[in-house]
Amino acid sequence: EDKVVQSPLSLVVHEGDTVTLNCSYEVTNFRSLLWYKQEKKAPTFLFMLTSSGIEKKSGRLSSILDKKELSSILNITATQTGDSAIYLCAVPSGNTPLVFGKGTRLSVIA
Amino acid sequence: EPEVTQTPSHQVTQMGQEVILRCVPISNHLYFYWYRQILGQKVEFLVSFYNNEISEKSEIFDDQFSVERPDGSNFTLKIRSTKLEDSAMYFCASRRSEIYEQYFGPGTRLTVT
């Protein structure tokens, strides 16, 4: 059974801190790994990673995949209160439905 | 920017009633999905739909559930006889093709009393 495990499950930081969120996966036929941000409702897409070692960056967020270690990290630098959310990691399974991890709940306090 | 839309945003129904949740995927997308998230739990896959038929479904998607694309834009999830444990947030998602990411709608919160 395909599986995604995220750590930590929750994290509280102060504004300006840098955070690293972890995701590890077990999937039969790996194609990609996706990161989403979930605030009040829908997961919103952040990154899709397919190749090991190539960093994807968007503003203060960046992510990298390590296929050898079956894992990915999501970094957020200079955190702001607006970064408070649940960050979800997911991998496509079977004919591409996503298997999600439980998420990391990030709280950024002023 | 185009987005996935869902209606209603919140639906309250009594146990045993039928509900239909509606989604309008992004217009040039070909793959459609329903997921659900019970409060405090993981997002779970229900069903995927491509080329006017179900391409994959999970164990959750039993005979009580059905999906339909009645016209060129809407994608619906029907629950025939709701149970208390169907209370959850239901998300629709779509994507253009297999190599692209899935985009999620804002969800419908279903409350079964």
Side-chain angles (χ1 to χ4, degrees):
Chain A
E1 187 183 321
D2 297 339
K3 194 163 74 167
V4 174
V5 177
Q6 292 185 246
S7 64
L9 290 181
S10 69
L11 193 53
V12 181
V13 300
H14 287 97
E15 266 192 321
D17 288 351
T18 293
V19 297
T20 298
L21 311 182
N22 301 288
C23 174
S24 63
Y25 60 88
E26 288 174 31
V27 64
T28 311
N29 182 19
F30 179 84
R31 279 163 290 180
S32 60
L33 182 144
L34 295 95
W35 284 98
Y36 287 87
K37 178 181 181 183
Q38 186 176 28
E39 294 176 89
K40 294 195 176 141
K41 285 194 174 178
T44 52
F45 172 75
L46 294 174
F47 298 111
M48 182 166 78
L49 305 160
T50 54
S51 302
S52 225
I54 298 174
E55 187 184 54
K56 290 223 173 172
K57 210 166 160 57
S58 174
R60 296 176 293 102
L61 277 67
S62 64
S63 184
I64 197 160
L65 177 68
D66 185 339
K67 282 186 183 177
K68 204 170 162 188
E69 296 295 325
L70 306 182
S71 66
S72 173
I73 58 170
L74 175 69
N75 281 318
I76 310 175
T77 57
T79 50
Q80 301 169 357
T81 53
D83 295 326
S84 296
I86 298 174
Y87 290 84
L88 300 172
C89 175
V91 291
S93 172
N95 285 326
T96 69
L98 294 175
V99 174
F100 282 87
K102 287 185 178 178
T104 294
R105 181 181 292 277
L106 175 66
S107 301
V108 181
I109 51 180
Chain B
E1 190 176 317
E3 55 186 26
V4 178
T5 59
Q6 289 185 244
T7 53
S9 56
H10 191 189
Q11 172 105 39
V12 181
T13 190
Q14 289 193 324
M15 207 164 52
Q17 295 296 303
E18 175 183 286
V19 294
I20 297 176
L21 311 183
R22 290 185 167 78
C23 168
V24 179
I26 294 172
S27 63
N28 62 349
H29 285 194
L30 302 175
Y31 295 78
F32 313 115
Y33 304 84
W34 283 101
Y35 293 84
R36 78 170 185 193
Q37 186 176 33
I38 294 170
L39 190 63
Q41 296 188 25
K42 283 186 194 186
V43 177
E44 302 173 287
F45 166 71
L46 292 177
V47 65
S48 57
F49 195 85
Y50 169 71
N51 204 24
N52 279 323
E53 59 183 24
I54 290 173
S55 49
E56 193 162 345
K57 57 185 181 179
S58 71
E59 290 170 356
I60 304 166
F61 194 88
D62 61 22
D63 293 342
Q64 300 282 19
F65 292 89
S66 62
V67 288
E68 206 176 36
R69 189 154 158 82
D71 52 44
S73 57
N74 289 285
F75 179 49
T76 62
L77 174 70
K78 185 194 287 186
I79 310 175
R80 265 180 267 285
S81 176
T82 49
K83 300 179 280 225
L84 293 175
E85 53 266 36
D86 294 328
S87 295
M89 185 74 103
Y90 287 80
F91 293 110
C92 173
S94 72
R95 67 179 183 166
R96 200 184 334 168
S97 72
E98 281 198 19
I99 61 166
Y100 288 94
E101 58 275 12
Q102 292 182 30
Y103 287 91
F104 284 75
T108 293
R109 180 169 295 287
L110 176 66
T111 303
V112 182
T113 60

